C-alpha cells in the first residue's frame, strides 16, 4: 500500500524550473490585461437585454378588487404579491407586521371573510371580491375595539410588534367561541407568537373581552 498520502513529514513538492510560479503568472496576466484594455479588446459586461432595444419582460400581473376595512380597492399587482405586501406597500396599511414572512409567527394575521389568515402566505390575486379586516379596521367611530382596550388594561404587550396580529387573532378566537378556559384560548391562539413572552396577559385580555367585562 502506498504511503505517499499519509507521509505528513515529506517536504512539499517543489516547482520545476519550467513551471510558472505564482509571481510570474500574475505578472503575465497583468501585462495581457493591460494590452487588452489599451486596445479596447476587454470584454464588455454582459447585457441585461438579449436583443438590442428590447426591455425585460414585466412580471405577470392581475387586477384584483377587494374590500379592506369596508373600503373597496381595485389594484393591479404582480401575481406573486402577498396580501401582506398588498396591504403594506400598495394600500399603506402597515398595522399587520412582517415577522417571519413564512407563516410561522402570526404577526401578519388579518381576517379574510371573517376567518383569520397569515397574510404573508396568502396571494392577493386570489382574493377577488373578498372582505379583509386588518387591525386598522377594528375601531368603531374612534372607539377602540373592546379587545384593543383589554390589551391596554391588561398591559398585554411589551415591544408591541406581535400585538396587531394577536388582537386580530383574538377577535376571531372570541367569535369562534374558543374561550372556554385559559387553556383553550392558549390552544386557539397558538399560531401567534410573542417574543416578549406576554402570553399570560394576552390570554387574560382575550378572557376579559369574551366575558364582556
Ligand atoms: Fe406571516 Fe410571520 S409574517 S406568519
Ligand atoms: Fe413584543 Fe409580543 S409584545 S413580541
Amino acid at each position: 500500500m502506498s504511503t505517499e498520502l499519509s507521509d505528513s513529514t515529506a517536504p512539499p513538492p517543489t516547482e520545476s524550473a519550467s513551471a510558472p510560479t505564482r509571481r510570474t503568472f500574475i505578472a503575465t496576466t497583468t501585462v495581457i490585461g493591460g494590452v487588452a484594455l489599451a486596445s479596447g479588446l476587454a470584454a464588455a459586461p454582459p447585457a441585461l437585454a438579449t436583443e438590442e432595444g428590447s426591455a425585460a419582460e414585466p412580471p405577470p400581473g392581475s387586477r384584483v378588487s377587494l374590500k379592506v376595512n369596508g373600503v373597496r380597492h381595485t389594484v393591479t399587482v404582480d401575481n406573486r404579491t402577498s396580501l401582506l405586501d398588498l396591504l403594506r406597500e400598495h394600500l399603506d396599511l402597515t398595522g399587520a407586521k412582517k415577522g417571519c414572512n413564512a407563516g410561522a409567527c402570526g404577526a401578519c394575521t388579518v381576517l379574510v371573510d371573517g376567518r383569520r389568515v397569515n397574510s404573508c402566505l396568502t396571494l392577493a390575486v386570489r382574493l377577488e371580491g373578498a372582505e379583509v379586516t386588518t387591525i386598522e379596521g377594528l375601531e368603531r367611530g374612534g372607539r377602540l375595539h373592546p379587545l384593543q382596550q383589554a390589551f391596554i388594561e391588561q398591559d398585554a404587550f411589551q415591544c408591541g410588534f406581535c400585538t396587531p396580529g394577536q388582537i386580530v387573532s383574538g377577535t376571531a378566537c372570541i367569535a369562534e367561541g374558543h374561550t372556554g378556559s385559559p387553556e383553550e384560548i392558549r390552544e386557539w391562539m397558538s399560531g401567534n407568537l410573542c417574543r416578549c413572552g406576554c402570553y399570560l396577559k394576552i390570554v387574560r385580555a382575550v378572557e376579559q373581552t369574551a366575558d364582556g367585562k
Side-chain angles (χ1 to χ4, degrees):
M1 188 173 135
S2 166
T3 58
E4 203 171 294
L5 291 176
S6 60
D7 185 0
S8 60
T9 61
T14 54
E15 293 170 343
S16 70
S18 60
T21 64
R22 182 169 174 276
R23 184 185 299 261
T24 56
F25 175 78
I26 291 172
T28 307
T29 51
T30 302
V31 169
I32 292 172
V35 170
L37 277 172
S39 58
L41 295 176
L48 290 176
T50 50
E51 289 175 24
E52 197 173 327
S54 71
E57 285 286 316
S62 301
R63 255 165 93 85
V64 60
S65 181
L66 72 175
K67 261 190 185 176
V68 181
N69 300 331
V71 179
R72 178 154 301 282
H73 297 274
T74 302
V75 285
T76 300
V77 290
D78 179 333
N79 288 348
R80 300 162 295 181
T81 303
S82 68
L83 172 57
L84 180 60
D85 284 342
L86 173 71
L87 293 170
R88 292 182 59 86
E89 294 172 16
H90 294 257
L91 304 184
D92 211 18
L93 292 168
T94 56
K97 296 291 182 278
K98 187 178 280 189
C100 63
N101 205 26
C105 73
C108 63
T109 305
V110 300
L111 304 180
V112 173
D113 296 329
R115 298 183 61 194
R116 41 188 161 171
V117 301
N118 288 327
S119 60
C120 69
L121 292 187
T122 305
L123 284 176
V125 294
R126 301 192 66 180
L127 297 180
E128 179 63 33
E131 299 222 3
V132 177
T133 305
T134 71
I135 187 72
E136 291 92 341
L138 292 186
E139 57 88 24
R140 287 286 174 271
R143 288 176 63 96
L144 292 178
H145 185 281
L147 186 55
Q148 291 175 307
Q149 188 62 42
F151 263 65
I152 294 170
E153 290 170 14
Q154 294 290 346
D155 194 22
F157 46 82
Q158 284 184 32
C159 76
F161 189 82
C162 73
T163 309
Q166 299 279 3
I167 291 176
V168 171
S169 191
T171 63
C173 182
I174 293 167
E176 293 159 10
H178 297 305
T179 54
S181 66
E183 292 71 30
E184 189 179 8
I185 294 172
R186 274 182 186 277
E187 175 68 23
W188 287 89
M189 293 288 291
S190 60
N192 291 82
L193 305 185
C194 175
R195 293 183 196 282
C196 299
C198 299
Y199 295 111
L200 196 63
K201 294 175 176 178
I202 290 170
V203 170
R204 278 191 199 142
V206 174
E207 250 186 323
Q208 173 182 321
T209 309
D211 293 346
K213 292 175 191 162

